[in-house]
Amino acid sequence: MEISAPRGTKDILPDSSSHWQYVERIAREVCRDYGYQEIRTPVFEHTELFLRGIGETTDIVQKEMYTFTDKGGRSITLRPENTAGTVRAYLEHKLYGESQPAKMYYIGPMFRYDKPQAGRFRQFHQFGIEAIGSTGPIVDAEIIMAAVEFFTRLGLKDLNLFINSVGCPRCRPVYRSKIQDALRGSLGEFCEDCRSRFDRNPMRILDCKNEKCQQLSKNAPQLSECLCDECRDHFTGLQTVLTAAGVDYKLNPRLVRGLDYYTKTAFEIQYPPLGAQSAVCGGGRYDGLIEEIGGSPTPAIGYAIGLERVLLALEKQELLPTPDRGIAIFVAAFDDKTRVLAFKLATELRRAGLACEMDYLGRGLKAQLKQANRYPARFVAIIGEEEAAQNKVALKNMLTGEQQLVDAGQLIQKIRAEMED
RNA sequence: GUGGCUGUGGUGAAGUGGUUAACACGCCGGAUUGUGGCUCCGGUAUUCGAGGGUUCGAUCCCCUCCAGUCACCCCA
């Protein structure tokens, strides 16, 4: 093997593509029921969009982007997520002129230059939803419900839904300085990462997995105590709606999203058996993003679901449907001459909507029967010299082993009739 | 980007410093004249991730690289 797929990428081979189709079908069905329509945006965008949209200080932008200069000298980046692209399209095509909120979903590949690991790839696929143009907590609850519904329909159990509010540009700075005040004294005892986070994004310290850091930050003020009235009302409103809808959720005050644009609602759905990469869904409100990208202030909320991780979870719980490779009929030929007749017959059968296969390797009759059995094929139509001479085929029922001579012209009806039984 | 583990045929895997690299599955073919699923028989790795080095000799020892995997970081 000379050339292999690039690091962190995966081929989706024929034996697993049906799994993808299945998951994507469920996603589309949920979206239809919740009133979200598909949007397809380019897989690459101007780098500038992500710099502004995601935030220059984020890990994604600082070290994970696939950025290159195209032949026209433009800086282009393979999309690491699709909220920025969706918002860009929303503005570019003036979708704010249509009925609001704009409810959209997407399914497609994203690219991040990460080190691959369980549930983490350089090219991965997300199913995401964006609702642009509404402030209310009802929309927040709705998109969370859509995610829950998606997992429910797939049959996934043992998922944890965590929600939090990360505040807004009014209350977050207040909280930020409060937390810095609280931790400043013991800063030297924190891990290296946390010390660097102290100035840049002190809220992330609360999210540190390091046990010592967790201990040290245990008594730090919680963001929920510092929310402004508007954010607090929004957050309690969301909880009221979720509770009314019967959703099982947990508050997680340490839940902080990695992207700069999030405001108020942040949430995450985890499937713990996946190990370190247990987040299957992450999202939140991004009321500041649209203005950041050049639109007028517009509230919005969205999330993304990692499909590789969903597939992993489904595999773990044995919830993936086994693909049906069965075909109606296999047409077996005896020699080169009858092979032509077999091809002609196969074409007719296929035209009639019957899944049909034949031999392409010039195999002997015995090997063809073997092959037919592997699919498995319900019937085998054998065309030998004798049959060809009388314009008939030998129709063999592979379940019972019975075989009968049938007029070539009658074959389709005959098969249909037998399949009824 | 950092660290641990791993790297033998299509797959799962034995193995040893020195003639022909087990075995199982799969695949291909065969078991008298044109017929499957069971059984039996045969075939199927000039080669042990790549490149160097040590050695009379390396798949087995050393180094580098690459890849996979898991974890940190971060995230879907």
Side-chain angles (χ1 to χ4, degrees), chain A residues 118-131:
Chain A
R120 199 170 74 186
F121 309 94
R122 288 183 175 177
Q123 176 178 139
F124 59 103
H125 297 77
Q126 288 186 331
F127 155 44
I129 280 184
E130 313 290 346

Side-chain angles (χ1 to χ4, degrees), chain A residues 81 83 106 126-130 262 267 280-283 302-306:
Chain A
E81 52 95 314
T83 297
Y106 57 81
Q126 288 186 331
F127 155 44
I129 280 184
E130 313 290 346
Y262 285 109
F267 70 97
V280 291
C281 171
Y303 65 75
I305 290 173

Side-chain angles (χ1 to χ4, degrees), chain A residues 25-227:
Chain A
R25 199 190 77 222
I26 300 291
R28 291 179 198 283
E29 286 174 5
V30 169
C31 287
R32 186 199 57 210
D33 297 345
Y34 277 78
Y36 288 78
Q37 289 185 297
E38 184 175 12
I39 180 167
R40 302 194 189 194
T41 61
V43 294
F44 57 85
E45 297 273 359
H46 291 290
T47 302
E48 175 72 11
L49 174 66
F50 300 120
L51 296 184
R52 301 230 309 258
I54 298 174
E56 311 217 14
T57 62
T58 60
D59 276 18
I60 291 182
V61 167
Q62 287 195 332
K63 47 189 207 194
E64 294 172 4
M65 295 213 300
Y66 273 96
T67 298
F68 60 95
T69 304
D70 74 7
K71 295 190 182 199
R74 294 170 278 258
S75 180
I76 296 295
T77 295
L78 264 34
R79 62 182 186 192
E81 52 95 314
N82 206 26
T83 297
T86 301
V87 166
R88 193 224 80 229
Y90 172 87
L91 293 172
E92 186 167 337
H93 303 286
K94 304 183 171 35
L95 299 185
Y96 45 77
E98 298 176 15
S99 73
Q100 299 295 296
K103 293 166 59 168
M104 297 172 279
Y105 78 92
Y106 57 81
I107 297 175
M110 307 295 155
F111 307 86
R112 288 183 203 173
Y113 193 86
D114 253 350
K115 187 154 174 181
Q117 139 189 8
R120 199 170 74 186
F121 309 94
R122 288 183 175 177
Q123 176 178 139
F124 59 103
H125 297 77
Q126 288 186 331
F127 155 44
I129 280 184
E130 313 290 346
I132 307 176
S134 169
T135 53
I138 293 274
V139 192
D140 301 41
E142 177 182 286
I143 73 152
I144 291 174
M145 283 306 300
V148 170
E149 182 70 22
F150 171 69
F151 292 117
T152 304
R153 287 193 195 182
L154 289 170
L156 275 175
K157 301 270 191 322
D158 306 320
L159 291 158
N160 291 320
L161 165 63
F162 295 103
I163 64 170
N164 190 26
S165 176
V166 296
C168 68
R170 271 191 302 280
C171 47
R172 198 150 43 184
V174 177
Y175 175 61
R176 190 188 148 97
S177 47
K178 265 194 184 172
I179 199 168
Q180 283 172 324
D181 292 343
L183 301 180
R184 188 167 284 118
S186 53
L187 185 60
E189 297 174 55
F190 280 90
C191 72
E192 204 180 313
D193 287 328
C194 281
R195 286 201 299 267
S196 79
R197 283 195 270 249
F198 184 80
D199 286 317
R200 221 163 12 102
N201 195 349
M203 284 161 63
R204 292 213 68 87
I205 295 178
L206 301 185
D207 207 27
C208 185
K209 270 85 185 170
N210 187 315
E211 269 188 44
K212 192 170 181 212
C213 297
Q214 293 233 0
Q215 279 298 320
L216 288 165
S217 64
K218 210 168 158 188
N219 296 318
Q222 304 256 303
L223 178 55
S224 56
E225 299 157 12
C226 308
L227 292 177

Side-chain angles (χ1 to χ4, degrees), chain A residues 214-384:
Chain A
Q214 293 233 0
Q215 279 298 320
L216 288 165
S217 64
K218 210 168 158 188
N219 296 318
Q222 304 256 303
L223 178 55
S224 56
E225 299 157 12
C226 308
L227 292 177
C228 63
D229 290 347
E230 187 189 318
C231 288
R232 189 179 16 252
D233 288 350
H234 188 276
F235 193 39
T236 54
L238 170 63
Q239 293 175 59
T240 304
V241 181
L242 286 177
T243 304
V247 185
D248 203 12
Y249 64 87
K250 297 185 178 76
L251 294 181
N252 180 1
R254 288 168 183 266
L255 176 63
V256 181
R257 307 262 80 224
L259 286 58
D260 282 359
Y261 54 59
Y262 285 109
T263 56
K264 293 180 179 154
T265 306
F267 70 97
E268 189 167 300
I269 297 177
Q270 291 185 5
Y271 180 66
L274 287 182
Q277 259 61 42
S278 63
V280 291
C281 171
R285 182 159 278 284
Y286 49 91
D287 291 345
L289 175 62
I290 291 153
E291 195 175 1
E292 186 64 39
I293 291 179
S296 52
T298 308
I301 180 163
Y303 65 75
I305 290 173
L307 294 183
E308 278 79 1
R309 292 181 188 178
V310 171
L311 263 327
L312 243 37
L314 290 173
E315 204 173 313
K316 252 188 175 119
Q317 310 226 113
E318 296 181 334
L319 288 169
L320 287 169
T322 46
D324 180 18
R325 294 258 288 124
I327 59 172
I329 182 162
F330 185 98
V331 183
F334 181 61
D335 55 16
D336 286 345
K337 209 174 211 165
T338 47
R339 216 179 305 284
V340 175
L341 296 174
F343 180 72
K344 179 168 168 272
L345 185 59
T347 305
E348 286 165 11
L349 291 163
R350 288 163 170 165
R351 209 172 266 156
L354 290 165
C356 179
E357 271 296 343
M358 61 178 290
D359 168 59
Y360 308 101
L361 301 179
R363 281 191 266 235
L365 188 58
K366 177 187 273 211
Q368 293 182 61
L369 268 293
K370 230 175 200 171
Q371 180 67 26
N373 209 49
R374 259 198 292 263
Y375 279 104
R378 206 35 222 297
F379 298 95
V380 173
I382 302 168
I383 308 178

